[in-house]
Amino acid sequence: MGKIAVLFPGQASQYVGMGKTWYERHESVRERFSEASEILGFDLAELMFSGPAARLNQTENTQPALLVLSVAMFEAIRREDGIRPSYLAGHSIGELSALTAAGVIGFADAVRLARIRGEAMAACSEGSGGGMMAVTGITGAEVAAVLMGIDPDGVSVQVANYNSPKQTVLSGSAEGLKLAGERIAKLGADAKVIPLNVSGPFHSRFMAGAAEALEKALQPVQLGAMAVPVVSCLNGQPYVPDDDIKASLVAQVTQPVRWTSVLSTLMEAGVEQWLEVGPKDVLKKLTLHTFPGANAYAYDDEADRERQAQSKLNRPNLVGLCMGAAVCTRNSNFDEAAYERGVIKPYQELQALYESAEKEGRVPTQEEMGRALSLLRVIFETKGTPAEERVQRFKHILAATDTEELFPEYADLILEGA
């Protein structure tokens, strides 16, 4: 199984009705929505499913809505589909989703932070007279060169997002954006300028007040250990233990999102599958613009999710390997009652697990794989399988299915030689 990167979207991915299917299908998603609604003081599900769009698009509502849905979807697919990511990354507010999914920030804290961040950014936008625009067809370096020629200090306009090799977003005052657009239009027919329908100049110096508010809100938050590496969109590099994550989140509010650097870092790290978890498919498209032909999937698209699941069917089936190991292992226990109880019945359960997944055309869930390993362990114990053989069997199964980190208790058994 190749390395997987899970990507969490940012603002502009929201839409009325987002997450409704996930809410209806997964109890865990409903629980997260309920928890978030209590924190926010309003019914998040009603807002997301019924709108109105104008209210959902208010930054103070958009940001917590994106975070809650993204994290809830991640938890559901990791538990039920057995997704085991090698890296996490998020675009702007999506990085807060990534850090929450990685266990660094607790869910309740993350919801509060997303709300505060959104409220503060909305407040900074009021009366700023600023906005944002996308530039396509030319490189980010070319865009930055234009800005240096008209505003070297970034006072009125600056790069907000380096999204792909030929998509850059600018943020600034109306005057600054107008002047930059005029200069860029002169670069040739390939260069196109597209005004964005946003409420303010995000990721610019105009958001200084929002950065201060977020810094204050982050002070009492206790950070946990990072269970999955997270790549920062501030510098495009994975966080390391000495990094000040809080300072990075604060700086991100006024600094550009370096998404092209994030994608390049992940590609260099050997990522083979890119899964966007959250509403729409913005990050999937940016991945394909950067790496044409990449195995990129948007989990908000049912067809994409089915294609991603189909791509896993050719991988070794852990439950099937457990069945094979159970059959191939020699028996040295001739107590018929014990054999019936500790070999035949566990094997029948293994067979049922395998047939259930095969009938539904899916891979076993993490819960099913864990159960299969425990059943195989019972069979080994009943048959009296030598410790050395048990080690080799478990080692082969975990290595063949690339699930060592998913089931550390069995990796520990291998190390202990039992």
Side-chain angles (χ1 to χ4, degrees):
M1 187 184 300
K3 292 183 179 179
I4 295 173
V6 171
L7 312 177
F8 298 94
Q11 207 156 323
S13 289
Q14 74 277 2
Y15 64 91
V16 173
M18 68 181 192
K20 188 174 182 180
T21 299
W22 291 84
Y23 183 91
E24 292 172 345
R25 290 182 181 175
H26 303 279
E27 182 180 357
S28 63
V29 174
R30 294 193 292 273
E31 290 173 352
R32 282 306 197 193
F33 271 63
S34 177
E35 184 179 352
S37 295
E38 186 173 345
I39 294 168
L40 296 169
F42 61 85
D43 190 332
L44 185 61
E46 181 180 355
L47 173 61
M48 289 170 62
F49 305 156
S50 303
R55 185 173 170 226
L56 178 61
N57 290 337
Q58 291 173 347
T59 305
E60 61 269 32
N61 295 330
T62 302
Q63 297 197 12
L66 288 170
L67 177 131
V68 172
L69 177 56
S70 297
V71 172
M73 284 176 64
F74 174 79
E75 292 173 340
I77 67 171
R78 192 166 192 191
R79 179 180 57 257
E80 298 187 13
D81 293 0
I83 296 294
R84 185 168 64 85
S86 304
Y87 297 95
L88 306 176
H91 193 288
S92 191
I93 185 64
E95 184 162 313
L96 187 58
S97 302
L99 290 167
T100 305
V104 177
I105 298 176
F107 180 76
D109 282 333
V111 174
R112 283 189 285 267
L113 289 171
R115 178 69 171 182
I116 291 168
R117 185 181 189 268
E119 288 175 336
M121 291 175 72
C124 288
S125 299
E126 292 179 6
S128 68
M132 302 177 78
M133 69 180 186
V135 181
T136 64
I138 60 176
T139 67
E142 290 174 297
V143 174
V146 170
L147 299 190
M148 283 296 295
I150 63 175
D151 188 9
D153 296 322
V155 174
S156 63
V157 62
Q158 63 190 80
V159 174
N161 303 335
Y162 292 96
N163 279 340
S164 73
K166 290 195 174 182
Q167 185 190 110
T168 307
V169 176
L170 303 184
S171 187
S173 67
E175 297 79 8
L177 291 172
K178 181 176 182 293
L179 180 57
E182 292 171 350
R183 294 288 182 88
I184 290 169
K186 295 178 181 179
L187 295 180
D190 290 339
K192 291 181 173 55
V193 176
I194 307 166
L196 300 181
N197 184 22
V198 295
S199 59
F202 302 139
H203 295 288
S204 74
R205 69 174 187 85
F206 294 93
M207 295 290 113
E212 292 176 4
L214 182 59
E215 182 177 27
K216 182 178 180 181
L218 278 164
Q219 286 177 359
V221 175
Q222 296 294 315
L223 302 185
M226 188 174 291
V228 182
V230 175
V231 179
S232 168
C233 66
L234 184 66
N235 60 14
Q237 296 299 314
Y239 282 109
V240 297
D242 291 338
D243 283 341
D244 189 336
I245 293 176
K246 293 182 180 181
S248 179
L249 288 173
V250 171
Q252 181 199 103
V253 175
T254 57
Q255 296 298 311
V257 173
R258 299 185 179 277
W259 194 247
T260 51
S261 296
V262 170
L263 295 180
S264 295
T265 294
L266 292 171
M267 176 61 79
E268 291 170 3
V271 167
E272 296 179 11
Q273 287 200 45
W274 314 74
L275 310 183
E276 181 171 4
V277 176
K280 286 191 177 177
D281 59 356
V282 172
L283 300 184
K284 170 194 169 182
K285 289 178 179 177
L286 292 179
T287 301
L288 292 173
H289 289 163
T290 306
F291 307 119
N295 294 316
Y297 307 90
Y299 259 63
D300 195 37
D301 183 333
E302 191 70 24
D304 251 19
R305 185 177 179 185
E306 290 177 4
R307 282 191 289 270
Q308 197 276 336
Q310 189 66 32
S311 74
K312 297 185 293 183
L313 293 179
N314 294 327
R315 299 171 188 164
N317 184 311
L318 183 142
V319 177
L321 292 179
C322 287
M323 291 172 65
V327 171
C328 296
T329 305
R330 182 178 300 178
N331 177 50
S332 58
N333 182 351
F334 299 100
D335 182 327
E336 291 186 7
Y339 192 84
E340 171 73 23
R341 185 173 57 250
V343 176
I344 294 178
K345 288 187 176 180
Y347 185 82
Q348 289 173 339
E349 187 175 345
L350 276 173
Q351 191 171 31
L353 289 172
Y354 181 83
E355 290 176 353
S356 174
E358 285 292 298
K359 183 178 179 181
E360 296 172 16
R362 60 175 176 81
V363 296
T365 66
Q366 180 177 342
E367 183 179 354
E368 288 171 334
M369 290 189 288
R371 179 59 179 164
L373 289 168
S374 66
L375 289 169
L376 180 59
R377 190 173 181 182
V378 170
I379 292 172
F380 283 164
E381 290 172 352
T382 303
K383 283 188 170 185
T385 306
E388 184 177 350
E389 185 177 352
R390 296 187 201 186
V391 168
Q392 291 304 315
R393 297 285 187 184
F394 278 126
K395 187 174 182 179
H396 168 71
I397 292 169
L398 295 176
T401 55
D402 194 21
T403 53
E404 295 97 330
E405 294 181 17
L406 205 58
F407 301 105
E409 64 272 30
Y410 288 93
D412 290 343
L413 282 176
I414 292 171
L415 289 175
E416 294 168 5

